[in-house]
Amino acid sequence: MTVSPAPVVAVIVVAAGSGTRLGAAGPKAFQPVNGRPMLEHALTGVFQMSEPAQVIVVAPPALEGDARAIADRVAGPLSGLVSVVAGGDSRQESVARGLAIVADGIRCVLVHDAARALTPAAQFDAVVAAVRATGSGIVPGLAVIDTIKQVDADGRILGTVDRSELAAVQTPQGFPRDLLDQVVAAAGDLTDAVTDDAALVAAAGHPVQVIAGDQLAFKITTPWDLRRAELLLAADLGAPDAAADRAAPRVGTGVDVHAFAVAPATTRDPAPGAADAASIAGLWLAGLHWPGEPALAGHSDGDAVSHAVCDALLSAAGLGDIGGVFGTSDARLAGAHGEVFLRETLRRVGEAGFRVGNVSVQVIGNRPKLAPRRDEAEALLGGILNAPVSLSATTTDALGFTGRGEGIAAIATALVYRLPGLPGAGSPHLSWDA
Ligand code: CTP
Ligand code: MG
């Protein structure tokens, strides 16, 4: 059994504030944000850090049990790493209470506001890495965008502050453990005048460095901020991959095989009843008629290329396969040409919310020689599907049923795109209603 090494990083999550400016019924960190307590969102980022950390939740004295339940839910098997302590009257007092129970082996302490509930895990990792690299205090921050004025009590402008020298700082703020212990112990009576940990450390004469923060780490302070957090969560903007996934193309594969209606006499006896009307009429393949070539057997015209393309398109659009859509014995499809299947497939793919990007299909067999009519076949199939179709052919070096001249196989790949504003993949239609 491997024993994980004890963590060397601790994260103190301060969640003991009342949230006066939010104006909710109870303490801010326990207010729901899209149905889950703000603290739960905040801890989700903490537990997604790349290295496990000791986690200390500082909660209002009456809500330590609630905080424990939330932390256990997020931590899962790592719940042994979590402690909950009661906070104090000011943020700094709460930080001091958390700091008092940091474990012995911890080298680096991060202090994080539960109110910055959407802070990505990468921001925690970046702060830890920067503390390690510099040995000094690290604070994530963003450039200030607004023009900042200094004003007096009557609202008169006294001057403009040079914003190029300003940073709006966030949390987590990270420090070497010994440094934070020493500074907090020396600070004595901790009031709300100090609103962050970097201020204490800097006031004690130690360097604190700003690294790039993240817009998602904004602090939920007012009802407007809460609304913003809810909209971001609802739109999944915290996970931009969702939108990209919807826009991504989808691929599908289709394979079809048909035997020649009359197999070469040397290798195979004709199947009973195989020499039907189709074999007399000649071969149909890739939507084209090939007079003089041996016909393929099948309920329809046996056009393996068209059928493989239909299967690839249906699969890409999540609509099942050709057997499920068209059935294998519909009397209306006796002798039907590939074009009939392709047009109906295209209609269904469009109805399900997709357009065709392109189709590639390879024919495997000894004959017919495709090259002389490749352009003609590509133009015909591409015209039906209103998308580029490329056709290639190969033999199998005399191996297998294709090598023995018993039949033809076709393998198709199709790419489809979602049409904007349409629902996407629909449910398979299992009956033929053309
Ligand atoms: N905090 C704390 N203990 C306090 C005060 C604040 O743990 N006595 C925490 C808050 O829970 C919050 C973080 O410090 O996660 C930042 O504080 P702030 O956003 O100001 O929260 P509140 O003090 O709760 O809000 P308000 O100032 O509007 O009352
Ligand atoms: Mg406050």
Side-chain angles (χ1 to χ4, degrees):
M1 193 180 112
T2 51
V3 179
S4 315
V8 291
V9 173
V11 184
I12 300 172
V13 180
V14 284
S18 57
T20 320
R21 288 168 288 180
L22 187 63
K28 182 163 81 176
F30 298 80
Q31 295 310 306
V33 186
N34 270 22
R36 296 197 292 139
M38 196 180 296
L39 176 61
E40 189 169 329
H41 290 285
L43 289 174
T44 300
V46 175
F47 280 97
Q48 286 170 350
M49 287 172 67
S50 58
E51 71 178 83
Q54 182 193 4
V55 179
I56 299 166
V57 179
V58 186
L63 291 177
E64 284 175 81
D66 297 49
R68 179 83 243 177
I70 292 167
D72 284 347
R73 199 154 65 224
V74 181
L78 297 179
S79 66
L81 294 176
V82 185
S83 315
V84 177
V85 286
D89 290 339
S90 67
R91 182 183 181 283
Q92 279 312 314
E93 180 59 40
S94 294
V95 172
R97 294 195 185 183
L99 197 55
I101 62 157
V102 166
D104 280 348
I106 299 296
R107 314 295 311 143
C108 167
V109 176
L110 269 51
V111 181
H112 183 54
D113 293 338
R116 298 185 188 275
L118 304 190
T119 305
Q123 182 146 315
F124 293 84
D125 289 337
V127 170
V128 171
V131 171
R132 281 200 175 117
T134 63
S136 59
I138 297 294
V139 175
L142 296 175
V144 173
I145 291 160
D146 295 319
T147 297
I148 305 292
K149 301 289 186 192
Q150 200 176 3
V151 292
D152 69 13
D154 299 323
R156 262 194 303 270
I157 289 177
L158 301 175
T160 301
V161 182
D162 179 4
R163 73 177 170 209
S164 69
E165 292 186 343
L166 299 180
V169 301
Q170 308 176 326
T171 69
Q173 302 191 345
F175 309 91
R177 190 258 177 91
D178 295 343
L179 175 64
L180 192 61
D181 274 347
Q182 176 196 324
V183 165
V184 168
D189 195 16
L190 298 162
T191 67
D192 247 346
V194 180
T195 57
D196 77 346
D197 316 286
L200 273 187
V201 174
H206 302 281
V208 181
Q209 190 79 29
V210 176
I211 63 167
D214 192 305
Q215 296 283 2
L216 285 171
F218 69 95
K219 186 158 70 100
I220 302 175
T221 306
T222 64
W224 174 250
D225 299 322
L226 182 59
R227 184 89 190 105
R228 173 150 66 122
E230 296 206 301
L231 287 171
L232 282 163
L233 287 168
D236 229 356
L237 294 181
D241 289 357
D245 282 354
R246 270 197 68 73
R250 295 172 51 134
V251 292
T253 302
V255 173
D256 194 36
V257 172
H258 281 276
F260 288 114
V262 181
T266 51
T267 56
R268 184 173 169 236
D269 292 332
D276 60 7
S279 75
I280 295 157
L283 174 72
W284 284 87
L285 193 68
L288 297 177
H289 188 215
W290 303 74
E293 288 290 334
L296 291 165
H299 177 63
S300 64
D301 70 354
D303 182 345
V305 167
S306 297
H307 300 170
V309 170
C310 289
D311 255 350
L313 287 167
L314 292 168
S315 162
L319 294 175
D321 57 27
I322 193 167
V325 169
F326 296 99
T328 48
S329 57
D330 190 315
R332 291 170 295 179
L333 293 172
H337 292 312
E339 180 167 355
V340 174
F341 292 87
L342 287 166
R343 290 200 187 281
E344 175 61 10
T345 296
L346 183 67
R347 187 187 73 74
R348 288 172 184 250
V349 165
E351 189 179 75
F354 296 97
R355 72 177 170 80
V356 181
N358 75 304
V359 173
S360 166
V361 52
Q362 183 163 42
V363 177
I364 304 161
N366 295 342
R367 55 190 302 180
K369 286 275 163 280
L370 265 162
R373 298 188 72 187
R374 173 184 289 126
D375 291 351
E376 197 186 341
E378 288 181 347
L380 177 76
L381 298 173
I384 294 169
L385 296 178
N386 198 21
V389 174
S390 25
L391 192 63
S392 60
T394 185
T395 62
T396 51
D397 211 11
L399 297 174
F401 71 87
T402 49
R404 291 189 298 271
E406 295 168 7
I408 286 180
I411 300 179
T413 304
L415 188 77
V416 300
Y417 292 96
R418 240 179 261 271
L419 294 163
L422 284 166
S427 53
H429 299 256
L430 295 175
S431 65
W432 163 249
D433 53 9

